[in-house]
Amino acid sequence: MSSDDIQEVLVRSLGDHNPWWQDGATALHDTLPARQKSDYYHLVRPNEGTTQFDDADVVGLVGRHGVGKTTLLKQFIHHELQTGTAPERFCYIPFDATALYQLHAADQFQQALRYYESRILGRLDDPAPHYLILDDVHRVAHSDKPGVEGWGSVVRDALEEDGRNIVVSAGATEQVRDELHRVGLESGSYDTQPILPEKFRDYIFTRYPDLEDGDTRVTPTPVREGDGSLPHALETGETAALVETLRDQHQRVADAARQLQSQVAHYLTLGGVLSYVADGDAVDASDVDADAYQLLYRNLTATLYQDAPSLESMRTIADLERLCALAARNRGRDPIRFQRLVELFDVDRRTIRDSYLAVLEKLFVLTSVTEYDNQRPRATRLYLRDTGLVSALENTGPRTALNDLDYEADLARIAAFDHTMRLAYGVNAAQGNPETPSVQYWRGRSGEVDYVFEVDDTPVPIALTYRGRHQDTKHDALDEFQDQYRAPVGFLVTGDAGNRLDPIAHREPGIIELPYWLYLMLC
């Protein structure tokens, strides 16, 4: 291929990236995992007449490398083809398939679009609706080259065609929002959906699919809304109905409680990304190949080195990797003083807080949390958003988490934080406030409350005692927090609560004790 042919490399490969134009749904049969990702159901809405991709002119899936965005896009196409939708209605362009697609990307895309419209879409009597699916669209951005046209203008112009829906994937919400705002698209014309690693609940339903149906299905919905929900208990100050909700959810799987408890360590070992890659085939997490953790690490570095520069200008991207390594070593055990981070990285505190930590949070890699009700925090806790990343960064194998109880407890702390972030989002979204959640910690005279989030300005304290140690201290810390902030509900999450006759214990004043595995499933 000569250099003059570079601008045709995408259009010449378009058929290879869209094999369903020739073979229909069978082109994807052997290329997708045996089960759908959990996000599939609210994106595709398989039992409804429309999908989330129809809700806005542009819908963006955002998340770090390897989390499953491409899989979701192809699962969407596969589902639509299986239901009888014409294959010509889907045009998929992966901008990360080769770096050549990123050279004069706007021109290459326009050429590919003209081919699609004339040669493929033109086969249909009525082309509406149809979907342009632009995977890893952020890879064509050149923030350091102002003379190179970004992808936003191409998307804006493509929307002039009636019946056209555009789906994009990127590394971060800001990569989609900022580019579309730059070209003048109104915020109401596009939406973004974060794609996160699989939750413990998803992992359980894969290991035990019979639990996903009927009366054995544990669901967070009654915790989020209704008379027995957490918001109702916070509003009324009455916790009895919430306790009954939790007991009902536990009763659904009471006969399988020991099995569910036994799977916690395996989920913590794998993390949400590898647990989906395993696809339910691995009975024991130690069966997962060590190369899987190396792939996880490579995906992390790809996220940092490819995506971070488009979000923030910083002295060295390598510092982000070092910060992740520090978080993996600390594992959320103790707050790290900002001054110590300044000394370690030889940058000022503003750079640490507003650049390094902010970028890692935007990329869904790491979240920095400070003390609740502290306007001038001097320290932060660093939580990686997937327990598999801890082992990948620490270069440890699956046996470490399975055999080392202290290491397992550290991973349990990290997973509980990640799931509490999801709980906070789900509860607040059900109340009409779908904003990015904030989860903090709190230290009192009696001890520490591990996680605190708010619902309509009312704090919800959650204390974790995974191995049963310091349970009385955690209870006293919850009690102190509730007295100081008039919080009507607090949770004590314990790793060994399943050994009691009544795993859901209603302690006064308003402290509810529940098993760790059930807490994860309800988040």
Side-chain angles (χ1 to χ4, degrees):
M1 176 184 293
S2 70
S3 60
D4 293 335
D5 296 328
I6 292 299
Q7 289 190 210
E8 295 185 354
V9 66
L10 174 56
V11 71
R12 290 178 181 275
S13 303
L14 208 54
D16 295 334
H17 296 309
N18 295 267
W20 46 87
W21 291 345
Q22 182 71 30
D23 300 325
T26 58
L28 292 172
H29 280 347
D30 298 326
T31 66
L32 297 173
R35 68 180 175 100
Q36 287 80 18
K37 284 183 62 65
S38 58
D39 300 282
Y40 166 88
Y41 296 97
H42 65 81
L43 287 171
V44 178
R45 302 171 187 160
N47 297 320
E48 302 181 26
T50 62
T51 72
Q52 189 170 332
F53 300 123
D54 302 306
D55 291 349
D57 293 336
V58 182
V59 174
L61 304 187
V62 295
R64 60 185 176 86
H65 282 253
V67 78
K69 303 185 296 297
T70 298
T71 296
L72 278 168
L73 293 174
K74 291 188 175 181
Q75 286 176 338
F76 160 62
I77 295 171
H78 188 234
H79 171 267
E80 293 296 305
L81 295 177
Q82 285 187 311
T83 59
T85 304
E88 292 87 354
R89 298 193 187 279
F90 304 93
C91 180
Y92 171 77
I93 299 178
F95 283 101
D96 202 33
T98 169
L100 294 178
Y101 294 170
Q102 300 156 26
L103 296 173
H104 291 272
D107 293 337
Q108 288 206 63
F109 174 68
Q110 288 172 343
Q111 188 176 9
L113 182 57
R114 286 194 296 268
Y115 175 90
Y116 169 65
E117 291 174 338
S118 63
R119 299 289 189 91
I120 307 300
L121 198 59
R123 301 173 188 170
L124 303 178
D125 293 333
D126 182 2
H130 63 273
Y131 301 85
L132 297 182
I133 301 173
L134 313 180
D135 203 0
D136 290 312
V137 72
H138 62 296
R139 296 290 288 128
V140 308
H142 299 275
S143 57
D144 57 339
K145 299 178 180 179
V148 177
E149 187 61 64
W151 59 268
S153 59
V154 179
V155 167
R156 178 198 59 203
D157 296 342
L159 285 171
E160 295 178 1
E161 178 76 18
D162 290 338
R164 175 167 291 167
N165 299 281
I166 297 181
V167 183
V168 303
S169 78
T173 301
E174 290 75 11
Q175 291 170 330
V176 176
R177 182 193 64 202
D178 294 350
E179 179 64 11
L180 295 181
H181 176 74
R182 183 187 68 83
V183 299
L185 282 188
E186 297 181 358
S187 59
S189 65
Y190 61 87
D191 191 18
T192 57
Q193 174 66 51
I195 304 301
L196 302 175
E198 297 276 86
K199 296 186 291 186
F200 177 68
R201 181 169 170 266
D202 306 314
Y203 175 70
I204 287 299
F205 287 158
T206 299
R207 294 287 295 111
Y208 307 108
D210 291 345
L211 296 181
E212 193 171 5
D213 300 320
D215 295 337
T216 59
R217 180 180 176 85
V218 174
T219 172
T221 301
V223 176
R224 297 173 180 174
E225 53 187 337
D227 291 341
S229 67
L230 173 59
H232 186 265
L234 295 174
E235 180 181 357
T236 63
E238 299 293 331
T239 57
L242 174 59
V243 170
E244 288 307 308
T245 293
L246 298 176
R247 285 175 174 162
D248 174 69
Q249 294 299 311
H250 181 274
Q251 187 60 35
R252 290 168 178 258
V253 290
D255 292 340
R258 290 185 181 274
Q259 289 175 293
L260 300 181
Q261 175 70 35
S262 72
Q263 292 304 307
V264 169
H266 295 279
Y267 173 78
L268 297 176
T269 300
L270 294 168
V273 172
L274 292 186
S275 69
Y276 182 74
V277 173
D279 201 30
D281 294 334
V283 176
D284 191 301
S286 61
D287 293 337
V288 175
D289 197 294
D291 289 344
Y293 290 94
Q294 307 224 351
L295 176 60
L296 201 60
Y297 181 77
R298 289 196 298 271
N299 284 334
L300 171 64
T301 57
T303 294
L304 300 181
Y305 287 91
Q306 294 179 13
D307 294 348
S310 67
L311 298 173
E312 184 70 35
S313 175
M314 58 188 61
R315 183 179 302 180
T316 171
I317 301 296
D319 275 352
L320 298 182
E321 185 179 352
R322 295 165 186 142
L323 196 51
C324 290
L326 180 63
R329 178 57 56 91
N330 180 267
R331 298 195 280 279
R333 286 190 299 265
D334 302 299
I336 303 173
R337 292 183 299 108
F338 282 111
Q339 183 57 38
R340 181 57 178 156
L341 295 176
V342 167
E343 295 167 355
L344 285 172
F345 291 93
D346 194 26
V347 295
D348 58 38
R349 175 169 171 167
R350 177 172 294 182
T351 298
I352 292 289
R353 183 189 60 204
D354 298 342
S355 181
Y356 288 11
L357 295 176
V359 165
L360 289 170
E361 185 157 3
K362 289 175 183 177
L363 293 172
F364 309 103
V365 171
L366 178 149
T367 299
S368 163
V369 301
T370 55
E371 187 174 12
Y372 182 76
D373 196 27
N374 185 342
Q375 302 304 313
R376 300 187 66 182
R378 296 184 177 182
T380 180
R381 266 197 168 91
L382 304 179
Y383 285 106
L384 291 164
R385 294 302 302 274
D386 182 35
T387 53
L389 284 177
V390 177
S391 296
L393 286 158
E394 287 281 81
N395 197 27
T396 59
R399 289 285 183 186
T400 301
L402 292 173
N403 297 336
D404 186 331
L405 294 180
D406 290 334
Y407 189 81
E408 178 188 334
D410 286 342
L411 296 183
R413 182 187 311 109
I414 295 169
F417 170 80
D418 176 73
H419 282 62
T420 301
M421 288 281 285
R422 299 168 191 244
L423 174 64
Y425 175 82
V427 170
N428 280 288
Q431 312 310 305
N433 180 29
E435 301 298 324
T436 302
S438 173
V439 176
Q440 298 175 282
Y441 66 93
W442 180 81
R443 284 180 160 178
R445 296 183 304 275
S446 302
E448 181 171 308
V449 174
D450 298 271
Y451 320 110
V452 180
F453 67 92
E454 292 186 348
V455 180
D456 290 333
D457 298 324
T458 301
V460 180
I462 301 165
L464 172 66
T465 169
Y466 184 71
R467 294 185 58 196
R469 296 181 299 190
H470 313 299
Q471 189 161 327
D472 291 339
T473 300
K474 291 291 187 179
H475 182 278
D476 292 343
L478 283 172
D479 196 15
E480 181 184 349
F481 183 95
Q482 289 181 297
D483 283 344
Q484 183 168 335
Y485 294 100
R486 299 185 181 277
V489 180
F491 294 99
L492 181 61
V493 180
T494 63
D496 60 354
N499 297 327
R500 296 198 314 263
L501 292 177
D502 184 9
I504 312 298
H506 191 188
R507 298 192 178 191
E508 296 297 337
I511 295 176
I512 303 172
E513 186 176 339
L514 72 162
Y516 180 85
W517 62 263
L518 180 63
Y519 177 75
L520 294 191
M521 291 194 73
L522 292 173
C523 289

